[in-house]
Amino acid sequence: GRPLRALVFAPPVVLSNWKSEFLKYYGKQNLSKESIFLVNKDGKYKKAKIQEATKYSLEHSHMCTLIVTNYETVQNDDCFLDLIANFKPEFLVLDESHRVKNFKSKRAKKIMQIADQKYCLYKFILTATPALQNALDLWMQFRILDGGFTFGKNFWSFRGRYFQDINSRWAGKPNYFPKWLPIEGMQKELADRISTKSAVAIKSECLDLPPLVRMRAEVELSAEQKRVYHDLAKEFVADVKDLLNKEKSQL
């Protein structure tokens, strides 16, 4: 029966866009410029901004209070979790959620701690590329999303159930590297499990774009750019000559 507190993680380049989109589409009676806090710096600024957002949410409970920040803020400062614990976000949104795909990374572990708190009631992950390298990237994103309901709370169990190392026969030999791919027949189960927690927006369904126009534009280098370009070319030629001379001396 009241507006909720929200924490949004997004790439630095789109932080201001999140603010403008909220103001454009959210009800003005429950949201204003003053209730959206962009946290895009570290140190004292970050601490002061989050404390300001916490104070605002307490004094203006009839307003939705948002903290919009980038992923680097959570990994660069250990006090971030304590500050967010005081704010108690009930909504957690990860824009470009593949940035937490690495279950060993500090940012992923800290955001998972936020997601696991009782006050964090609603979680959303947004990305066009949930699996950049392979489907192993899915585990941490869904662990944050639903606490392990979809793929379990243990990465190694997830990997053991759905994947196999197709290079395992070379294990222990020089230059061995594992290559994990879904076990035959498991692709469908992975897809089915994902589908219960996801919605797909296809570009053709949500954007009315004109036909693509390709143009070639030739741009003249400035005097300073030409100088740097020629310096780099000379250094590259010199490096190649040094490398060739070293190879000749070794023959």
Side-chain angles (χ1 to χ4, degrees):
R2 63 168 178 80
L4 303 181
R5 298 175 296 274
L7 172 62
V8 178
F9 286 98
V13 69
V14 298
L15 295 185
S16 58
N17 189 58
W18 268 93
K19 181 175 182 177
S20 62
E21 291 296 298
F22 268 120
L23 292 172
K24 182 177 180 180
Y25 293 104
Y26 197 78
K28 293 182 180 180
Q29 69 276 14
N30 297 126
L31 190 69
S32 67
K33 293 181 180 180
E34 291 73 25
S35 61
I36 303 177
F37 297 82
L38 296 186
V39 182
N40 53 5
K41 298 178 183 178
D42 283 328
K44 294 181 179 179
Y45 173 89
K46 174 173 63 177
K47 181 179 180 180
K49 207 69 176 176
I50 297 176
Q51 289 176 334
E52 184 183 346
T54 303
K55 182 180 179 180
Y56 183 92
S57 68
L58 294 173
E59 296 177 350
H60 302 81
S61 59
H62 63 289
M63 301 291 285
C64 178
T65 308
L66 287 85
I67 293 178
V68 184
T69 188
N70 56 67
Y71 290 96
E72 287 69 27
T73 59
V74 69
Q75 70 186 51
N76 294 339
D77 193 345
D78 291 335
C79 75
F80 183 84
L81 293 181
D82 294 332
L83 293 169
I84 293 300
N86 292 328
F87 178 64
K88 292 183 174 60
E90 294 145 307
F91 265 92
L92 176 64
V93 181
L94 305 185
D95 187 7
E96 304 292 357
S97 63
H98 55 265
R99 297 194 176 206
V100 295
K101 65 183 178 62
N102 183 358
F103 71 100
K104 295 181 180 179
S105 69
K106 286 185 178 181
R107 71 170 64 169
K109 290 178 181 179
K110 289 184 177 181
I111 291 176
M112 183 179 71
Q113 290 182 53
I114 297 172
D116 284 349
Q117 299 303 314
K118 291 182 178 180
Y119 54 70
C120 194
L121 304 175
Y122 308 97
K123 278 89 73 173
F124 297 88
I125 59 175
L126 316 172
T127 180
T129 51
L132 284 175
Q133 297 178 346
N134 57 48
L136 286 173
D137 294 344
L138 296 170
W139 182 81
M140 191 54 166
Q141 296 174 74
F142 274 82
R143 171 63 181 83
I144 291 172
L145 178 68
D146 61 19
F149 184 85
T150 300
F151 292 125
K153 293 188 176 183
N154 186 282
F155 171 80
W156 310 109
S157 298
F158 166 72
R159 192 181 73 176
R161 174 176 174 78
Y162 293 101
F163 298 83
Q164 62 181 348
D165 176 13
I166 63 173
N167 291 340
S168 60
R169 63 184 181 277
W170 305 108
K173 297 182 179 181
N175 301 322
Y176 159 75
F177 63 92
K179 186 175 182 180
W180 296 95
L181 294 177
I183 298 171
E184 185 177 354
M186 283 297 182
Q187 294 94 330
K188 185 178 186 306
E189 183 174 336
L190 282 169
D192 289 344
R193 284 183 174 271
I194 292 170
S195 66
T196 63
K197 295 287 179 69
S198 62
V200 179
I202 301 174
K203 183 169 67 173
S204 60
E205 296 176 349
C206 57
L207 291 178
D208 184 17
L209 298 176
L212 177 64
V213 177
R214 297 184 182 274
M215 298 178 63
R216 178 175 177 176
E218 296 185 3
V219 181
E220 184 71 21
L221 294 176
S222 67
E224 177 64 15
Q225 290 171 331
K226 286 181 180 179
R227 185 189 65 78
V228 174
Y229 176 82
H230 290 305
D231 288 346
L232 289 173
K234 290 178 182 178
E235 291 178 9
F236 177 75
V237 171
D239 289 341
V240 171
K241 286 182 178 179
D242 289 343
L243 180 61
L244 292 175
N245 290 333
K246 288 180 180 179
E247 290 181 349
K248 288 180 180 179
S249 63
Q250 293 174 356
L251 295 176

